[in-house]
Amino acid sequence: RVTQIGGRKRAGCMAHARRKFHEALATAPEAQTALDSILAVYRVEHDALADGVVRTDEHLAMRQARSRPILKEMKSWMEEQQPLFPPKGPMGKVIAYALTRVSLFRRPVAAKILRAAVAGPGVSASARKDG
């Protein structure tokens, strides 16, 4: 598999889920909860960049202390919300999409060498580039 050449593993990009939750917001105000969770994960990455600790043990500790609980809570919230929305509606589709990728979203939390995609309000494009 292309994603595993040389021992590499695929990590999920929360930006895709964020975009889909944003699109669902028009018909499902509940999507704001997911958007707030994603923003909180982005803040951890932004803080690591601002503190100059990207790809260090301190960055990994930040991810594990702050991002891991957010992602765990977000998964539980999506599992609770899923039966409340039609599967083919915008919110039902994005929840299904995100739930199938939860393990991929968690990969950067377990590794300091992976760079989580940072894209969101207040985060510049330069923050997304590998340094």
Side-chain angles (χ1 to χ4, degrees):
R1 290 181 43 150
V2 172
T3 57
Q4 295 179 347
I5 291 175
R8 291 178 291 184
K9 293 184 180 178
R10 183 176 178 200
C13 175
M14 292 191 77
H16 292 100
R18 182 184 60 82
R19 178 180 51 82
K20 291 173 185 262
F21 275 115
H22 188 268
E23 291 168 358
L25 197 56
T27 58
E30 298 88 345
Q32 187 62 52
T33 299
L35 291 170
D36 292 344
S37 295
I38 292 168
L39 179 60
V41 171
Y42 286 169
R43 281 189 183 127
V44 174
E45 296 305 307
H46 180 269
D47 291 351
L49 186 66
D51 293 348
V53 297
V54 173
R55 294 185 176 149
T56 67
D57 290 336
E58 187 176 343
H59 187 195
L60 180 60
M62 289 172 70
R63 285 177 168 176
Q64 291 176 347
R66 294 171 53 191
S67 297
R68 180 176 280 154
I70 294 165
L71 292 171
K72 183 177 178 182
E73 178 60 33
M74 185 175 171
K75 179 181 184 274
S76 296
W77 176 83
M78 288 188 297
E79 290 170 339
E80 291 169 8
Q81 294 295 307
Q82 191 171 32
L84 305 177
F85 294 94
K88 295 194 179 208
M91 189 67 162
K93 284 182 180 180
V94 69
I95 289 174
Y97 171 86
L99 281 172
T100 62
R101 287 157 178 82
V102 166
S103 65
L104 299 177
F105 296 155
R106 289 181 177 167
R107 283 214 173 121
V109 173
K112 66 184 174 189
I113 60 169
L114 291 175
R115 182 77 181 260
V118 178
V123 180
S124 70
S126 63
R128 292 187 298 265
K129 295 179 183 173
D130 284 336

